[in-house]
Amino acid sequence: MTSADWAGLAMVVVLIVVAAVLAAAETFITRVSKVRAYRLREEGKRGAASLVKIVESPPPYLNVVLLLMLAVHLAGTTAAAVIAVRVIGDLGEVIATVSMTFLLFVFAEVAPKTYAVMQTDRVALRLAPATVAVTRLVGPLTKGMIKLAN
């Protein structure tokens, strides 16, 4: 394996971590109620102001998270397949696809979503500010794509 292959594998690992964070964000967006968000804001919890913005209008935030999650899953799987084909050969595509399906399911879906269900307030307060910031950047793209689809 070349240094470029190792760098590519490092990128795949980073993409799996990003996918895990996005999965946790998806879970908190769908689980936190307005009442709970307002209560956390009243208690002066850090991140609660952003959380209130999200629960007052969840669809734009959820759409951005879902779009980014899809992009990260595809990018990670594609990068893994390119590396596997270069290192293993033709069978590399199948091995990379099966491996990434397992890794994404376990480490970027089940584990972070289970944690977010068990620790909803903690996850919501930590990820809400970043979710609001990312939605400011990517939101116009998702709005445009939804208008196009409609």
Side-chain angles (χ1 to χ4, degrees), residues 33-148:
S33 69
K34 286 182 183 179
V35 173
R36 185 67 186 142
Y38 293 145
R39 176 71 178 191
L40 291 168
R41 184 176 64 183
E42 286 174 10
E43 292 173 3
K45 299 288 185 177
R46 188 171 170 207
S50 295
L51 182 57
V52 168
K53 285 181 188 177
I54 292 169
V55 299
E56 286 179 341
S57 180
Y61 300 97
L62 186 58
N63 289 335
V64 166
V65 167
L66 292 174
L67 175 65
L68 292 176
M69 195 178 327
L70 176 64
V72 167
H73 285 196
L74 290 171
T77 302
T78 301
V82 166
I83 295 165
V85 167
R86 192 169 33 232
V87 173
I88 300 169
D90 292 339
L91 194 57
E93 290 176 17
V94 173
I95 292 170
T97 301
V98 170
S99 299
M100 285 301 292
T101 299
F102 172 78
L103 292 171
L104 288 170
F105 179 72
V106 172
F107 297 109
E109 291 291 335
V110 174
K113 287 181 178 183
T114 301
Y115 179 76
V117 166
M118 294 175 11
Q119 300 288 329
T120 304
D121 289 354
R122 175 180 284 170
V123 170
L125 291 170
R126 287 195 178 150
L127 295 182
T131 303
V132 169
V134 169
T135 299
R136 280 191 194 123
L137 295 172
V138 182
L141 175 64
T142 58
K143 284 179 186 177
M145 292 172 77
I146 290 168
K147 285 181 182 178
L148 180 65

